[in-house]
Amino acid sequence: MTMAKGQSGAWDKTFEKSDKVDVKKVKFKNRYGIELAGDLYAPKSAKGKMAAIAVSGPFGAVKEQSSGLYAQTLAQRGFVALAFDPSYTGESGGEPRYMASPDINTEDFMAAVDFLSVQENVDPEKIGILGICGWGGMALNAAALDTRVKATVTSTMYDMSRVNAFGYYDKMDENARYEMKKSLNAQRIEDFKNIQKGGKYKRGGGVPDVLPEDAPQFLKDYYAYYKTERGYHPRSLNSNEGWNVVGCMSFINQPILAYAGEIRSAVLMLHGENAHSRYFSEDAFKKLKGENKELLIIDGANHTDLYDNFEKIPFDKIEKFYEENLK
């Protein structure tokens, strides 16, 4: 497998290191006592207390991929930015590995706000969050609960509850949902027996190593990111064996956007015009209230373009949004 840029040396990210930014490894615990690992980026020679942004995602990625790229770019533009691995993934703690939780992963964002709030170079009244892909939905959920969050950006957002419960484009009916739940619960028994013998949970598989001939365009887009030098990382679930088969089970009946309409702080939602997932952002945006909310559709962009394509990611827009709402 092609290795990420710089993995032969100290720099283990999939993007080039900026000479305008300082970065250091940090650790902090969430409300459940799980230790989270992050990379804290800050502008070189910055003085005083600055606005700060916590960044995570995509779903199944690690901080050395897209979230780190966003964080470093935001630091180049004058913000303190924390890219972190969610619980049970990457360099963060949590056992068993490769599990996801609408509750704990929302808490991960809030724990990142805890951490940023006590940093000497951060103004605790000027903290925002940014969620990419599945962590866009988690960011909205966190913003609905955490009044300390003053501004939220979602990029190429997935509603993980919706897609797990109903499949793409809501094509899964009640009978199909029932059969899916039967299968997952049967897998729980197999996993339990395996764990009793010292084994591990069965993994669901990430992006395939070889694309099928009839692969849909969005799978080709994922492959182009997670399985090539562009975005491959050895700790990324999507680049390797994926989540546990039962890892995302709780999303099926725990909607994460139920209270999105209560978000009073500013929200900017970004999505690609040609993204298969575009409807997630469009529908979630309809739940938001107030004049400080905006949905921006990026011309010609697909889902993964907003992972790392500087020609498509509107960083000028993002910077202006945070400057205006983290005053």
Side-chain angles (χ1 to χ4, degrees), residues 2-8 11-14 228-229 231-234:
T2 304
M3 299 300 286
K5 302 184 190 72
Q7 285 180 28
S8 59
W11 186 253
D12 61 350
K13 323 301 183 197
T14 60
T228 70
E229 185 179 3
Y232 176 82
H233 197 279

Side-chain angles (χ1 to χ4, degrees), residues 61-207:
V62 289
K63 64 186 180 303
E64 290 78 17
Q65 296 173 305
S66 183
S67 61
L69 175 67
Y70 271 74
Q72 178 174 263
T73 304
L74 289 168
Q76 287 178 305
R77 291 167 177 257
F79 302 94
V80 174
L82 171 68
F84 65 92
D85 288 329
S87 296
Y88 309 110
T89 65
E91 294 182 316
S92 287
E95 293 289 342
R97 305 301 292 165
Y98 317 127
M99 293 292 187
S101 161
D103 179 15
I104 296 175
N105 295 143
T106 298
E107 162 61 22
D108 289 341
F109 255 125
M110 298 175 72
V113 175
D114 294 340
F115 173 81
L116 290 172
S117 296
V118 301
Q119 300 308 301
E120 292 184 355
N121 59 347
V122 171
D123 184 338
E125 298 299 319
K126 299 179 180 179
I127 294 178
I129 58 178
L130 191 154
I132 307 163
C133 185
W135 258 262
M138 244 71 77
L140 289 180
N141 201 33
L145 182 59
D146 195 332
T147 57
R148 300 169 301 172
V149 174
K150 301 301 191 297
T152 301
V153 172
T154 69
S155 181
T156 199
M157 189 206 78
Y158 255 57
D159 180 343
M160 295 308 301
S161 293
R162 184 175 177 181
V163 74
N164 275 284
F166 302 107
Y168 285 113
Y169 309 110
D170 304 328
K171 291 184 177 180
M172 190 181 300
D173 62 17
E174 184 176 339
N175 289 331
R177 279 168 50 80
Y178 184 76
E179 292 302 318
M180 175 180 64
K181 287 185 281 188
K182 281 178 60 178
S183 176
L184 288 170
N185 284 301
Q187 183 60 50
R188 288 179 66 106
I189 298 297
E190 294 304 311
D191 286 339
F192 186 85
K193 291 189 291 187
N194 196 33
I195 296 299
Q196 292 289 92
K197 299 175 183 177
K200 298 180 180 180
Y201 285 82
K202 183 179 179 181
R203 302 282 288 275
V207 177

